[in-house]
Amino acid sequence: ISLYTRRCSREVQLNSPNAGMAEFQEKLRLQHENSMLTELEKLLITAKPSEAEISRKDFEGFKKLFHRFLQEKGPSVDWAKIQRPPEDSIQPYEKIELKGLPADVASSLNKLAVVKLNGGLGTSMGCKGPKSLISVRNENTFLDLTVQQIEHLNKSYNADVPLVLMNSFNTDEDTKKILQKYTHHRVKIHTFNQSRYPRISKESLLPVATNMGLTAENEEAWYPPGHGDIYASFYNSGLLDNQPSDKRCEFVMEVTDKTRADVKGGTLTQYDGKLRLLEIAQVPKAHVDEFKSVTKFKIFNTNNLWISLPAIKRLHEKNAMDMEIIVNPKTLDGGLNVIQLETAVGAAMKSFDNALGINVPRSRFLPVKTTSDLLLVMSNLYSMNAGSLTMSPKREFPTTPHVKLGSSFTKVRDFLKRFESIPDMLELDHLTVSGDVTFGKQVTLKGTVIIIANHGDRIDIPAGAMLENKIVSGNLRILDH
């Protein structure tokens, strides 16, 4: 295609550079689109009869995304149009807290459904299977904590808040097996599956899959298309019709104050008169540093969202859910370069009526994407009560320590082997660990601690050691920091 493109473009340019090029690019776009439609039909023929209808619905969503991908070029925002959001469009959490609880809490809670994204695998931390099944505290997994939180809510207020899990083809089977253990808990649990989209070759812009199967050689050919897929998948599942309905503000996004560790997180702006989520992928290269600035954009999106279910239904049926495309390049195990077309759930904010941001305290945002994050939530920095983790009252300042564990700790299995027990971190500000380092039992870390084992060296922090403002280097010398 690339040779054909170059030859044709030269011929067209000889006639009328602009008009000819536009016409040629339109023909090329149509050719890519038609080739894609042909390949998708071939794939559908290979689907099992029980899965054919679901796959066809998935492909309808993918076709729309692919069509837009071929038409859109460059960043999707005009930087000059970006304004700070109006003061009243981002409300402080404290203002809501002061209002107190309504007289009948149960009737308010019975309008609520908790939806958790459960499509991800813990691959970045070296795990197989759903990330939600990683143990966090006392053998409790992320899923256990979620169920405990909602069960506590239902028991405390005599309510019936359901838990809805959006699984993916990667996590559905394992999750359904584990859900049997919650049969006697006071939480109704529903599941539905995210769409399954084909990864496409960067060169040919065609699917790399040869059939609809998920066998070993075909497994890498498919992907769940980002959390923005929740709207279409939730609608297609039929679950939306079973959920409680209410009007008013249709979309609330919890945001929190940016720190220097959060510079890549999406932020809220005013754009064309609407509150809008701005992601780093949409920012023109010349303005990326400005976007990362903590002074200009002071808050970022935590992805804790409160969304009206009837509004989701209305917008989906009108095909009015407007989300920017995220092009995510990947390299498969065999070296093939592919692209995944994705969307982000928060990007649909501008499609809803009366959207609002709530600036919440950092305590409501506790992401675990790496083993460095996992170390924090497993430590005595947090107390656990009814599935909720809260900062220990024994910690004298409310910020979390900055933890950077090296590549020897990336996989959960290796991480657990390197800690005989999780250190006391109540007075820790900063921890950097690099190289072959292990920690004995009951180690205490305070202030700034940097431990660096040079290549070929190994550092064993002895049981009961107390390191406060120390640098431990490859030759095991301990120096004051």
Side-chain angles (χ1 to χ4, degrees), residues 19 29 72 77 91 107 153 166 169 192 200 209-210 229 263 288 306 331 342 347 369 377 433:
R29 188 188 67 72
E72 293 173 15
V77 293
Q91 298 282 336
S107 71
L153 200 61
M166 179 167 84
F169 62 89
F192 68 93
I200 53 184
T210 52
D229 179 57
V263 291
V288 166
W306 301 74
T331 303
E342 303 178 8
K369 294 191 171 180
V377 298
V433 184

Side-chain angles (χ1 to χ4, degrees), residues 78-91:
D78 176 354
W79 193 257
K81 282 186 179 181
I82 287 172
Q83 300 170 308
R84 284 194 179 176
E87 286 297 316
D88 61 352
S89 67
I90 301 173
Q91 298 282 336

Side-chain angles (χ1 to χ4, degrees), residues 84 256-259 267 293-300:
R84 284 194 179 176
T256 195
D257 291 341
K258 238 187 201 186
T259 68
T267 193
S293 149
V294 180
T295 46
K296 179 160 183 178
F297 298 108
K298 296 180 173 11
I299 48 134
F300 74 101

Side-chain angles (χ1 to χ4, degrees), residues 422-440:
I422 302 296
D424 176 332
M425 292 162 56
L426 276 174
E427 295 178 46
L428 180 69
D429 298 322
H430 179 109
L431 173 67
T432 294
V433 184
S434 177
D436 186 1
V437 179
T438 61
F439 292 79

Side-chain angles (χ1 to χ4, degrees), residues 319-331:
N319 197 22
M321 202 76 76
D322 181 17
M323 290 176 283
E324 292 76 27
I325 296 173
I326 298 163
V327 181
N328 190 354
K330 297 261 179 187
T331 303

Side-chain angles (χ1 to χ4, degrees), residues 156 159 163 300 311 314 357 378 387 449 455:
S156 301
L163 171 62
F300 74 101
R314 181 190 81 233
M378 290 177 83
V449 178
H455 186 67

Side-chain angles (χ1 to χ4, degrees), residues 244-312:
S245 64
D246 196 11
K247 283 275 190 289
R248 291 186 237 163
C249 177
E250 293 185 341
F251 192 109
V252 173
M253 176 182 285
E254 292 189 31
V255 295
T256 195
D257 291 341
K258 238 187 201 186
T259 68
R260 302 214 175 268
D262 312 308
V263 291
K264 289 184 179 177
T267 193
L268 286 183
T269 62
Q270 178 87 345
Y271 193 92
D272 285 342
K274 284 262 192 179
L275 200 58
R276 174 170 172 161
L277 176 67
L278 177 67
E279 299 275 13
I280 195 165
Q282 298 165 253
V283 178
K285 280 198 176 110
H287 297 281
V288 166
D289 287 344
E290 198 179 334
F291 173 83
K292 289 180 177 179
S293 149
V294 180
T295 46
K296 179 160 183 178
F297 298 108
K298 296 180 173 11
I299 48 134
F300 74 101
N301 168 28
T302 68
N303 240 17
N304 281 347
L305 306 171
W306 301 74
I307 312 173
S308 158
L309 297 168
I312 294 177

Side-chain angles (χ1 to χ4, degrees), residues 4 31 59 71 99-100 128 171 277 293-294 315 337 343 349 354 377 383 426 439 444 452:
Y4 171 76
Q31 186 185 336
F59 282 6
Q71 287 192 314
K99 288 183 179 176
K128 294 173 177 176
T171 63
L277 176 67
S293 149
V294 180
L315 290 168
N337 289 326
T343 53
M349 184 180 206
N354 307 319
V377 298
S383 309
L426 276 174
F439 292 79
T444 302
I452 298 173

